[in-house]
């Protein structure tokens, strides 16, 4: 069932489409009667509505294209109805005196089609078989993009260029003087023809970038010069980039020359700030360039349909690292057997694979810890502040429809209600970004929870940080945005972005890390200590919320495993329908947690244990579970991860050596066979 916001938007869209049809019908009536005022008003209103929708809701007018009523058909119909009105106004049914107007209008549409054909050729000439970031691309002769209006917005271009023509025709309808129509159509023709000529200049040799063959040759040379040794392969949808982003710092810290390999062009800008070179290679035929390179091993934070295409390369060893570990079945996907190795955090994940009995050889499982958890601060005892900060970070509903995946629907409101009822609690609510993407009920529950929190804040009051705290946050935000956000002019295409996003300045990664830490400090300092917070933006990151919280409430997910590095108290909601004993048995990550029923009656006891460590009977269990889930603290996780990468790369080297040895033996064997035959 759609939400109220969605239903309202659909109603507005339906009203806009209905209004467009009414304007066309009214225009037809005005042309047939003929009624000058009605024809002018309907024509002008129809064009204005079309222009508005092109800017505010292009997806809506795109739907009309599916029924063969696209922008060109609409504008052509609009102008033809005006000509029909002129024909009716003549009385004798002729267009004497209006022939130049008619011819000019035909030429205008011809010029528009020519401009559109040129735009297609320009876009194709500016499409490389790959996209890069953090790489010097000067050898590709990249140039700035043509104006977006000319190259990529044919609907807006037609309507804007048609304004003089339609306006001139309408003035002619009102005055019966053809001169206005000729002037308007002439100006529109000049705009369309001039746009086509200007756009065609990008097809000149001076502005043409490297063609596909030269670009692929350049890629081979770059791979040979850079000599990548370890890579991260990632493919996914628009909301999945976080799965790769969590591994950026780990990849950058590996020995050798790391590289990130993507498959979707849009993903290049979804990857967060990093100094690691990024290459997006959409087509599998071009992906094979990696097989001829020095790349020895690749890590994979997620499975996707395109993963099998890179796994075909036997010269490269592949390790599945996942984007998070939990007790859910998705952490033991049978597809894992396709990789050479499966890297897990600790012994618990190794046991999980064996219990799942999906055919994964235990010798292929390598324990490497979770290197990216280093920023999470350890437990220091009972809360020092007056208010207890509780982080409620539920996961999303998942793809399988299991009601136990997320607590948002069945327990979320009860949990939040119990927390808000305690005047000594400060709640941080950070739902999973995909909440409600599969089950609308989760989305609606999420909205209700946020409404409850806003209502609770309205009933609270207290001192707020001064304007200097806000000013400091704004300054830190501007600094961090400057370091991590690439800004482009509106007309920039992926080629221009490649040109601008070349080799990063030395030390940028360390600068970004320091700026992020400073921003997080300023962010928390800018908020009242008594105010509940709803956090749905990328900043602050989840780990920053971990450090701010005294206790976590979550679901069976990787959030719990990551939080355990701190050894702080935590609770897990049981909405699976299992008894508490069954729940603990089936999900080892909750063995050291306070289990919350859907009614959330255990919240009071949880808070008491957090505030008084003498009541916390799970501290020792958390310490033991931390080692079980994440492995030992010594050697550090990053050291173990790097060692695993070097070992897997050595296996790739050994295989290449064996293959070269076999290849050299074949001619010798043939010579021996020939000599024996003689």
């Amino acid at each position: 069932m759609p939400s109220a916001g969605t239903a309202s938007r659909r109603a507005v869209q339906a009203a806009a489409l209905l209004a467009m049809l009414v304007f066309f019908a009214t225009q037809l009536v005005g042309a047939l009667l003929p009624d000058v005022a009605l024809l002018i008003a309907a024509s002008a209103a129809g064009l204005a509505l079309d222009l508005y929708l092109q800017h505010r809701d292009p997806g809506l007018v795109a739907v009309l294209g599916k029924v063969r009523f696209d922008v060109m058909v609409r504008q052509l119909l609009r102008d033809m109805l005006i000509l029909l009105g002129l024909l009716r106004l003549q009385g004798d049914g002729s267009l004497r005196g209006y022939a130049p107007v008619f011819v000019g209008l035909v030429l205008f549409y011809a010029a528009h089609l020519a401009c559109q054909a040129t735009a297609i050729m320009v876009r194709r000439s500016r499409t490389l078989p790959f996209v890069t970031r953090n790489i010097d691309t000067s050898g590709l002769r990249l140039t700035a993009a043509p104006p977006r209006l000319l190259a990529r917005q044919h609907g807006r271009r037609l309507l804007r260029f048609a304004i003089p023509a339609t306006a001139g025709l309408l003035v002619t309808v009102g005055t019966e003087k053809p001169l206005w129509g000729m002037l308007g159509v002439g100006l529109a023709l000049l705009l369309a023809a001039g746009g086509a000529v200007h756009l065609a200049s990008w097809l000149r040799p001076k502005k043409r970038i490297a063609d596909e063959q030269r670009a692929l040759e350049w890629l081979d040379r770059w791979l040979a010069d850079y000599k990548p040794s370890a890579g991260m392969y990632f493919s996914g949808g628009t909301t999945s980039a976080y799965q790769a982003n969590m591994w950026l710092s780990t990849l950058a810290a590996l020995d050798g020359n790391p590289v990130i390999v993507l498959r979707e062009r849009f993903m290049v800008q979804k990857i967060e700030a990093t100094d690691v070179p990024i290459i997006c290679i959409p087509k599998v035929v071009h992906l094979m360039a990696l097989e001829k390179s020095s790349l020895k091993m690749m890590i994979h934070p997620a499975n996707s349909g395109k993963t099998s295409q890179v796994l075909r390369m036997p010269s490269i060893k592949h390790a599945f690292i996942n984007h998070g570990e939990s007790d859910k079945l998705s952490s033991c996907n049978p597809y894992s057997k396709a990789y050479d190795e499966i890297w897990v955090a600790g012994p618990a994940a190794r046991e999980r694979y064996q219990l799942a009995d999906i055919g994964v050889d235990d010798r292929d499982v390598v324990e490497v810890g979770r290197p990216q958890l280093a920023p999470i601060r350890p437990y220091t005892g009972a809360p020092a502040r007056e208010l207890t900060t509780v982080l409620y970070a539920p996961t999303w509903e998942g793809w399988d429809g299991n009601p136990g995946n997320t607590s948002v629907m069945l327990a979320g409101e009860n949990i939040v209600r119990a927390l808000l009822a305690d005047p000594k609690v400060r709640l941080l609510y950070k739902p999973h970004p995909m909440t409600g993407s599969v089950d609308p009920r989760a989305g609606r529950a999420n909205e209700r929870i946020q409404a409850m929190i806003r209502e609770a804040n309205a009933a609270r009051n207290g001192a707020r940080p001064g304007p200097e705290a806000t000013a400091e946050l704004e300054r830190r935000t501007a600094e961090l945005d400057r370091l991590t956000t690439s800004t482009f002019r509106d007309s920039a295409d992926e080629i221009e972005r490649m040109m601008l996003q070349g080799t990063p300045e030395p030390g940028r990664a360390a600068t970004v890390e320091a700026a992020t830490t400073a921003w997080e400090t300023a962010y928390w300092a800018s908020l009242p200590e008594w105010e509940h917070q709803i956090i749905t933006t990328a900043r602050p990151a989840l780990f920053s919320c971990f450090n701010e919280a005294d206790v976590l409430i979550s679901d069976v997910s990787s959030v719990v495993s990551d939080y355990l590095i701190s050894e702080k108290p935590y609770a897990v909601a049981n909405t699976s329908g299992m008894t508490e004993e069954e729940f603990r048995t089936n999900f080892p990550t909750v063995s050291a947690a306070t289990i919350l029923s859907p009614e959330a009656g255990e919240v009071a006891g949880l808070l008491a244990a957090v505030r008084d460590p003498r009541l916390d009977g799970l501290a020792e269990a958390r310490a033991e579970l931390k080692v079980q889930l994440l492995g030992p603290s010594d050697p550090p996780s990053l050291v173990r991860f790097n060692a695993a990468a070097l070992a897997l790369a050595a296996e790739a080297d050994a295989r290449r050596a064996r293959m070269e040895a076999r290849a050299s033996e074949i001619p010798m064997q043939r010579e021996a066979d020939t000599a024996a035959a003689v």
Side-chain angles (χ1 to χ4, degrees):
M1 187 175 178
S3 65
T6 301
S8 176
R9 185 172 183 274
R10 288 179 179 175
V12 171
Q13 290 177 332
L17 291 177
L18 179 60
M20 183 178 291
L21 295 177
V22 168
F23 287 143
F24 275 116
T26 306
Q27 191 181 4
L28 176 60
V29 172
L32 292 176
L33 286 178
D35 186 313
V36 173
L38 189 61
L39 177 59
I40 292 175
S43 301
L47 178 57
L49 178 61
D50 224 334
L51 282 165
Y52 176 79
L53 292 177
Q54 284 287 342
H55 284 273
R56 294 298 301 269
D57 201 343
L60 174 61
V61 289
V63 173
L64 295 176
K66 297 180 180 180
V67 292
R68 302 296 188 268
F69 197 51
D70 59 19
V71 63
M72 184 168 179
V73 173
R74 295 195 301 274
Q75 183 57 29
L76 185 60
L77 176 60
R78 196 173 289 119
D79 288 339
M80 290 302 102
L81 288 175
I82 296 174
L83 288 176
L84 176 61
L86 285 173
L87 184 69
R88 297 282 294 169
L89 286 170
Q90 279 292 96
D92 58 0
S94 68
L95 280 175
R96 285 195 308 272
Y98 296 107
V101 175
F102 180 77
V103 172
L105 200 60
V106 172
L107 292 176
F108 164 71
Y109 281 99
H112 166 72
L113 292 174
C115 190
Q116 181 62 13
T118 305
I120 293 172
M121 289 188 289
V122 169
R123 289 200 303 270
R124 288 179 178 176
S125 71
R126 292 180 62 80
T127 302
L128 292 175
F130 54 84
V131 184
T132 66
R133 209 178 101 190
N134 299 338
I135 296 175
D136 180 6
T137 55
S138 55
L140 293 171
R141 306 196 313 271
L142 305 184
T143 60
R148 182 171 58 169
L149 181 68
L150 297 178
R152 301 198 299 275
Q153 297 179 327
H154 77 96
R156 294 186 185 183
R157 181 181 70 237
L158 172 61
L159 292 177
R160 288 184 182 183
F161 289 179
I163 290 175
T166 303
L169 289 173
L170 292 179
V171 174
T172 296
V173 169
T175 63
E176 298 187 10
K177 294 181 179 180
L179 176 62
W180 295 107
M182 286 187 283
L183 289 175
V185 170
L187 179 56
L189 175 58
L190 185 63
L191 289 172
V197 171
H198 182 58
L199 198 54
S201 66
W202 268 264
L203 298 175
R204 294 166 50 201
K206 186 177 180 180
K207 286 189 176 181
R208 287 185 73 95
I209 65 173
D211 59 22
E212 181 175 297
Q213 180 180 347
R214 290 190 177 90
L216 292 172
E217 291 172 355
W218 175 90
L219 178 60
D220 289 339
R221 289 194 301 271
W222 182 83
L223 289 170
D225 293 339
Y226 180 67
K227 295 182 175 58
S229 55
M232 178 171 69
Y233 177 92
F234 187 73
S235 172
T238 54
T239 60
S240 63
Y242 73 93
Q243 299 172 354
N245 287 330
M246 67 173 59
W247 290 101
L248 294 179
S249 60
T250 303
L251 180 67
L254 295 181
D255 290 343
N257 296 326
V259 65
I260 298 171
V261 179
L262 307 174
R263 301 302 304 282
E264 292 80 24
R265 294 176 182 268
F266 69 82
M267 192 63 72
V268 173
Q269 301 304 324
K270 294 284 187 179
I271 300 299
E272 293 176 355
T274 178
D275 291 350
V276 178
I278 300 173
I279 307 175
C280 173
I281 309 178
K283 292 186 178 180
V284 65
V285 64
H286 302 141
L287 190 68
M288 293 301 118
L290 298 178
E291 191 170 18
K292 298 178 291 183
S293 73
S294 58
L295 192 59
K296 301 174 183 180
M297 59 83 62
M298 299 188 81
I299 56 177
H300 298 256
N303 293 314
S304 75
K306 296 179 181 178
T307 302
S308 62
Q309 296 171 349
V310 74
L311 293 180
R312 299 175 187 177
M313 303 178 190
S315 61
I316 302 174
K317 293 293 183 178
H318 302 272
F320 181 59
I321 57 174
N322 212 337
H323 53 275
E325 291 186 10
S326 72
D327 293 321
K328 291 187 289 189
L329 292 177
S330 57
S331 292
C332 296
N333 194 312
Y335 192 88
S336 304
K337 292 183 292 185
Y339 301 94
D340 296 290
E341 291 182 352
I342 301 170
W343 294 359
V344 299
R350 179 187 293 276
E351 295 174 6
R352 190 181 304 124
Y353 271 103
Q354 301 314 307
L355 291 173
D357 195 18
I358 57 174
V360 172
D361 193 322
D362 187 62
R363 293 171 296 181
D364 295 333
V365 179
V366 181
E367 297 174 28
V368 296
R370 292 276 284 172
Q372 63 270 66
L373 303 185
I376 301 176
R377 294 195 291 266
Y379 179 55
T380 57
R385 294 167 295 193
E386 180 183 0
L387 298 182
T388 303
T389 301
V390 181
L391 171 62
Y392 178 34
T395 190
W396 67 303
E397 58 270 25
W399 300 111
D400 58 6
N402 188 335
N405 287 341
T406 177
S407 58
V408 170
M409 289 186 289
L410 299 180
E413 292 170 82
N414 292 332
I415 291 172
V416 170
R417 188 177 294 108
L419 293 171
L420 297 179
D422 190 322
K424 296 296 183 180
V425 163
R426 180 201 189 193
L427 173 61
L428 307 179
Y429 177 56
K430 189 173 178 62
H432 193 285
M434 293 181 67
T435 299
S437 59
V438 172
D439 192 334
R441 292 177 299 172
R444 291 193 293 272
N446 178 38
E447 292 174 359
R448 290 193 297 271
I449 289 172
Q450 294 189 30
M452 291 169 61
I453 296 173
R454 286 190 289 268
E455 182 180 351
N457 275 336
R460 280 189 168 191
N461 57 68
R464 288 186 173 274
E468 64 280 358
T470 303
E472 174 67 4
L473 177 61
E474 291 175 353
R475 187 176 72 83
R476 294 296 183 181
T477 300
E479 180 184 5
L480 188 56
D481 286 343
R482 180 181 60 81
L483 292 170
T484 61
T485 305
S486 297
T487 56
F488 308 101
R489 63 192 185 100
D490 290 340
S491 291
D493 59 5
E494 66 181 23
I495 296 300
E496 183 172 334
R497 289 192 287 267
M498 281 177 60
M499 180 178 66
L500 297 174
Q501 292 179 305
T503 306
E505 298 177 2
R508 186 182 65 170
T511 304
V512 170
E513 183 178 356
T516 301
T517 301
W519 180 90
E520 290 173 347
T521 301
Y523 173 81
W524 295 114
S526 70
L527 301 175
E529 292 186 354
W530 51 266
E531 189 176 61
H532 306 299
Q533 299 299 325
I534 301 170
I535 304 171
T536 56
T537 53
R539 297 178 195 160
L542 183 61
F543 291 177
S544 179
C545 297
F546 283 177
N547 289 333
E548 190 70 11
D550 299 309
V551 58
L552 167 74
I553 298 177
S554 189
D555 303 319
V556 176
S557 70
S558 59
V559 171
V560 169
S561 302
D562 290 348
Y563 187 79
L564 262 170
I565 195 76
S566 70
E567 296 188 31
K568 293 179 184 177
Y570 72 104
V572 178
N574 177 14
T575 55
S576 65
M578 303 178 187
T579 64
E580 180 174 329
E581 183 179 356
E582 292 172 332
F583 192 59
R584 292 186 185 274
T585 301
N586 282 278
F587 302 112
T589 55
V590 310
S591 60
T594 298
I595 307 302
L596 303 183
S597 63
E599 294 76 24
E602 301 81 5
V603 167
L606 169 68
L607 294 174
V610 172
R611 292 161 177 160
D612 186 353
R614 293 172 299 180
L615 302 178
D616 183 6
L618 295 169
E620 185 176 341
R622 290 196 300 273
E624 294 175 356
L625 184 58
K626 168 188 168 182
V627 176
Q628 181 70 4
L629 291 178
L630 303 172
S633 300
D634 189 34
S637 177
L638 183 58
V639 173
R640 288 183 282 146
F641 195 98
N642 187 57
L646 294 175
L648 195 57
E651 289 187 23
D653 284 337
R655 181 194 175 278
R656 291 187 184 187
R658 291 194 300 269
M659 296 304 295
E660 290 173 0
R662 291 172 186 171
S664 63
E665 290 174 359
I666 293 176
M668 296 174 60
Q669 184 62 46
R670 287 177 178 171
E671 291 178 6
D673 292 343
T674 301
V678 172

